[in-house]
């Protein structure tokens, strides 16, 4: 659902709010995520964004991570301020050690294909201008994800305001409620408009539980974790080092080191930050921006995320063709070949079909130096569908 509000009179700023509430529709559900949406929907749109004119996009129990990514990307591309309200549950992919936000069809065995990788979200936010984005979270983490959150391995990247709660898994046979976000909605519906930092403190004090992690980043990197009603000050967590986008600094070693040590989300966020700098400085389609797009594509490969890598390599090839590069140039052929190779690594027929159309269009324009590449796409789609149909 999309709602747009504009007051009468001259408008100078339009904000966007994205409400994302998701949880598995099965026994893996840990939180009644969508229960907060009616309360938030009753809040005036301009209050959700903090602007006079507002667009509100609501995603309730989405099922497809690519669809969610597209909505996030569209919202992130909108001018003006962006506020994301996210409620749901976090899980840890045991193979890659990456956090994922569960969606409606997510199960423990299908996590990598049916949940939204958290670094997809942070990577899109990193492309926005600093200090134009706010994220408000009310999440529950499963046992493994909770350990990573408690160890400081969770965030939304530099330049983003963050307020939120991450709770440990609820007791067995019980479901958590997004009480932290409901406090926001209740306060706003009563006509009060405190600053977000004050509202965060109020919600933290009312919502609990006592062992939840509360995050607050207001105007700078780092996070504050605190237990509500604690009688003693809780120390500030050390912020992760931030690589500044300076033209005289080479960020590649730090990014590669992060990827090689398994910190794939951090590596992707840093590369996205440098791509954002290249876009602002040199423009879309510039060699500098294309370079960082291709770095992100290769980082997705290192993270063993072939779907994301294929998508990014496809975007890089399309951008090079749009610049007027020849279809038989080395850079164009390399991008298409890498997109095709990553697509070949996909084992999920639905994801392969979703990416096959754009890859097929590219292969028709860029057949490459190995004969039969275009025909191979059709054969593989048929083979995957046969496997899926097998008992």
């Amino acid at each position: 659902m999309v709602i747009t509000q504009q007051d009468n009179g001259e408008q100078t700023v339009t904000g966007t709010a994205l409400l994302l509430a998701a949880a598995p529709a099965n026994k893996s559900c840990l939180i009644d995520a969508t229960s907060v949406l009616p309360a938030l929907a009753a809040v005036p749109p301009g209050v959700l964004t903090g602007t006079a004119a507002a667009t509100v996009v609501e995603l309730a129990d989405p099922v497809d991570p690519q669809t969610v990514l597209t909505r996030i990307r569209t919202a992130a591309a909108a001018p003006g301020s962006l506020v994301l309200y996210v409620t749901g549950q976090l899980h840890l992919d045991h193979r890659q050690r990456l956090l994922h936000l569960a969606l409606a069809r997510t199960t423990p065995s299908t996590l990598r294909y049916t949940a939204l990788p958290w670094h997809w979200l942070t990577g899109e936010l990193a492309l926005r201008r600093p200090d134009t984005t706010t994220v408000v979270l009310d999440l529950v983490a499963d046992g493994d994800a909770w350990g990573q959150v408690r160890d400081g391995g969770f965030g939304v990247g530099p330049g983003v305001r963050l307020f939120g709660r991450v709770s440990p898994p609820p007791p067995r046979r019980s479901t958590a409620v997004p009480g932290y976000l409901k406090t926001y909605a209740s306060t706003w519906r009563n006509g009060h408009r405190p600053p977000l930092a004050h509202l965060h403190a109020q919600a933290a004090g009312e919502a609990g539980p006592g062992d939840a992690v509360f995050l607050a980043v207001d105007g700078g990197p780092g996070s504050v974790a605190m237990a509500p009603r604690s009688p003693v000050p809780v120390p500030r967590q050390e912020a992760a080092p931030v690589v500044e986008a300076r033209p005289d600094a080479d960020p590649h070693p730090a990014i590669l080191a992060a990827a090689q040590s398994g910190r794939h989300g951090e590596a992707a966020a840093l590369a996205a930050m440098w791509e954002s700098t290249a876009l602002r400085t040199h423009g879309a389609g510039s060699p500098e921006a294309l370079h960082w797009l291709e770095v992100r594509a290769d980082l997705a490969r290192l993270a063993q995320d072939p779907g994301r890598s294929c998508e990014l390599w496809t975007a890089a090839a399309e951008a090079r063709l749009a610049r007027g590069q020849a279809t038989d140039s080395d850079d164009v052929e390399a991008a298409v070949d890498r997109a095709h190779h990553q697509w070949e690594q996909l084992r999920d027929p639905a994801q392969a079909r979703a990416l096959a159309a754009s890859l097929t269009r590219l292969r028709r324009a860029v057949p490459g130096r190995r004969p039969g590449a275009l025909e191979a796409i059709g054969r593989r789609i048929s083979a995957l569908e046969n496997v899926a149909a097998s008992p």
Side-chain angles (χ1 to χ4, degrees):
M1 178 177 65
V2 179
I3 303 172
T4 302
Q5 170 187 292
Q6 286 193 324
D7 296 337
N8 293 330
E10 182 180 358
Q11 298 296 333
T12 58
V13 178
T14 300
T16 302
L18 175 61
L19 315 181
L20 172 57
N26 52 56
K27 64 181 180 180
S28 300
C29 181
L30 301 176
I31 183 172
D32 185 9
T34 58
S35 66
V36 75
L37 290 180
L40 288 174
V43 176
V47 175
L48 294 174
T49 61
T51 56
T55 297
V56 179
V57 181
E58 182 180 304
L59 288 176
D61 278 335
V63 300
D64 177 44
Q66 291 289 339
T67 299
V68 177
L69 175 64
T70 298
R71 291 295 188 92
I72 293 172
R73 181 172 294 160
T74 301
S81 62
L82 171 65
V83 186
L84 272 71
Y85 297 89
V86 184
T87 179
Q89 60 192 66
L90 294 173
H91 293 264
L92 188 67
D93 170 22
H94 291 279
R95 181 176 178 183
Q96 299 180 25
R97 309 301 296 176
L98 293 174
L99 290 171
H100 288 63
L101 181 72
L103 302 181
R105 294 179 181 171
T106 299
T107 65
S109 62
T110 65
L111 177 68
R112 295 184 62 206
Y113 311 106
T114 59
L116 178 76
W118 192 252
H119 67 273
W120 285 13
L121 183 148
T122 59
E124 296 301 323
L125 299 186
L127 297 177
R128 289 179 53 82
R129 288 185 297 108
D131 304 321
T132 62
T133 308
T134 302
V135 178
V136 182
L137 304 171
D138 196 349
L139 302 173
V140 171
D142 78 347
D144 294 324
W146 175 242
Q148 185 158 322
V149 171
R150 288 297 300 240
D151 291 341
F154 177 73
V156 291
V160 178
R161 298 175 74 206
L162 168 65
F163 300 98
R165 173 185 73 164
V166 184
S167 303
R172 292 187 62 185
R173 300 186 182 88
S174 64
T175 304
V177 296
Y180 171 86
L181 259 181
K182 286 185 176 182
T183 298
Y184 278 60
S186 175
T187 301
W188 285 329
R189 289 172 65 190
N190 288 332
H192 303 298
R193 305 290 186 263
L196 281 182
H198 295 176
L199 190 49
H200 165 77
Q202 176 186 341
E206 294 180 7
D211 54 349
V213 167
F214 289 85
L215 303 166
V217 181
D218 193 1
S223 61
V224 176
M226 63 181 183
R229 298 177 296 278
S230 174
V232 296
V234 180
R236 181 180 177 88
Q237 290 182 344
E238 291 298 323
V242 176
V243 179
E244 297 182 1
R246 301 196 322 269
D248 60 339
D250 181 5
H252 295 84
I255 292 172
L256 182 59
Q260 290 178 335
S261 63
R263 304 193 315 275
H264 298 294
E266 176 186 335
L270 287 173
M273 180 181 69
W274 279 88
E275 182 183 13
S276 178
T277 299
L279 287 168
R280 292 196 304 269
T281 305
H282 304 285
S286 64
E288 293 82 0
L290 277 171
H291 166 76
W292 285 108
L293 178 60
E294 293 180 343
V295 168
R296 291 174 60 210
D298 207 42
L299 288 174
R301 176 188 65 82
L302 293 174
Q304 298 182 45
D305 188 348
R308 181 64 165 159
S309 184
C310 172
E311 184 182 35
L312 292 171
W313 278 118
T314 297
E318 291 172 343
R320 289 190 177 279
L321 290 172
R323 292 187 73 238
Q325 290 187 237
T327 57
D328 60 351
S329 69
D330 290 343
D331 288 338
V332 171
E333 286 190 338
V336 177
D337 287 346
R338 287 164 180 165
H340 195 157
H341 175 73
Q342 289 300 296
W343 183 80
E344 291 279 353
Q345 310 310 306
L346 292 170
R347 295 295 176 264
D348 177 34
Q351 191 178 21
R353 282 195 301 270
L355 295 174
S358 56
L359 181 61
T360 299
R361 286 195 299 270
L362 270 181
R363 270 303 183 204
R364 289 195 178 110
V366 187
R369 302 182 185 183
R370 297 177 61 182
L374 181 60
E375 294 77 9
I377 297 175
R379 289 196 301 271
R380 185 158 191 274
I381 284 290
S382 299
L384 286 171
E385 289 177 340
N386 291 335
V387 171
S390 299

